[in-house]
């Protein structure tokens, strides 16, 4: 009699495990498109933020490119010591600001007006060096850092805030 009960229980567990495996497979198939949509939505959102940021930054710099002083200072700091014959390419809107900086620091930079550059950015050239501090390049670098951060998060996700341990499928033997 106990042998029959044991065999029936083993068969029921086997059928139950098969059904659980099918259910897990079905759940995986249902959740896969959601995960793909999440990734697509995340990329679309990042693109939207990048576009909106670009527009806001360009509008702000078009009306006030006073940030150029710090940007130019950082760009000049990236050149090798003693670099001479400097040419600073700026948007015509920024020409007077850079000219005033040149005169204040008694430098001999050549300032080149370049309408293809956005206001608030510059490109600094010497005989052997080029520093691209244009708005477009800096924005691309910021977005690249954002994407790299997201990639790192995917590769090394943060620890969960809450861990719930589910009981294993084993149940104690009942008489």
């Amino acid at each position: 009699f106990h042998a029959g009960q044991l065999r029936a229980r083993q068969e029921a567990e086997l059928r139950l495990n098969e059904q659980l495996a099918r259910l897990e497979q079905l759940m995986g198939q249902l959740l896969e498109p959601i995960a793909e949509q999440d990734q697509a939505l995340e990329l679309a959102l990042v693109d939207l933020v990048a576009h909106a940021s670009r527009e806001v930054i360009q509008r702000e710099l078009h009306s006030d490119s006073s940030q150029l002083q710090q940007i130019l200072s950082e760009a000049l700091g990236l050149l090798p010591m003693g670099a001479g014959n400097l040419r600073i390419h700026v948007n015509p809107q920024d020409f007077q600001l850079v000219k005033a900086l040149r005169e204040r620091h008694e430098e001999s930079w050549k300032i080149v007006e370049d309408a293809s550059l956005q206001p608030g950015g510059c490109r600094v050239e010497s005989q052997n060096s080029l520093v691209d501090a244009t708005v477009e390049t800096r924005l691309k670098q910021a977005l690249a850092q954002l994407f790299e951060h997201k990639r790192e998060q995917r590769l090394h996700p943060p620890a969960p805030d809450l861990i719930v341990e589910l009981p294993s499928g084993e149940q104690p033997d009942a008489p």
Side-chain angles (χ1 to χ4, degrees):
F1 176 73
H2 288 299
Q5 274 186 329
L6 184 59
R7 194 172 82 227
R9 184 176 179 180
Q10 288 173 342
E11 288 175 6
E13 281 185 20
L14 182 64
R15 283 194 304 265
L16 181 61
N17 287 338
E18 288 172 358
Q19 288 177 348
L20 281 174
R22 276 188 259 144
L23 182 59
E24 286 177 358
Q25 181 182 12
L26 181 61
M27 290 296 291
Q29 290 172 346
L30 290 173
L31 293 176
E32 188 175 307
I34 293 172
E36 290 173 5
Q37 286 179 345
D38 279 350
Q39 286 181 334
L41 183 61
E42 183 179 316
L43 289 175
L45 187 58
V46 169
D47 285 343
L48 176 64
V49 168
H51 181 72
S53 299
R54 185 176 290 113
E55 292 299 318
V56 168
I57 289 169
Q58 288 176 354
R59 191 183 88 225
E60 287 297 314
L61 289 174
H62 189 73
S63 64
D64 176 23
S65 56
S66 61
Q67 301 270 335
L68 184 59
Q69 180 176 351
Q70 179 181 348
I71 294 163
L72 181 58
S73 177
E74 290 173 9
L76 290 169
L78 293 173
L79 292 172
M81 291 292 287
N85 194 22
L86 297 181
R87 293 170 307 285
I88 300 175
H89 297 256
V90 296
N91 181 280
Q93 176 180 323
D94 297 327
F95 180 82
Q96 290 302 321
L97 175 67
V98 175
K99 183 178 176 185
L101 287 171
R102 177 184 68 184
E103 290 169 0
R104 187 176 330 142
H105 295 286
E106 299 178 0
E107 296 288 349
S108 60
W109 313 323
K110 180 178 181 184
I111 306 169
V112 179
E113 292 181 87
D114 186 344
S116 70
L117 297 178
Q118 292 289 327
C122 64
R123 197 172 54 245
V124 181
E125 299 175 354
S126 70
Q127 282 182 316
N128 302 316
S129 301
L130 169 68
V131 177
D132 185 350
T134 59
V135 173
E136 298 86 358
T137 298
R138 291 183 322 206
L139 186 58
K140 283 179 190 175
Q141 289 171 343
L143 291 173
Q145 288 176 347
L146 176 66
F147 282 119
E148 179 61 24
H149 180 70
K150 285 302 290 175
R151 188 182 75 74
E152 280 296 318
Q153 280 185 332
R154 279 194 203 109
L155 291 175
H156 309 289
D161 293 335
L162 177 66
I163 298 176
V164 177
E165 291 191 29
L166 299 175
S168 63
E170 299 176 22
Q171 297 179 359
D173 289 348

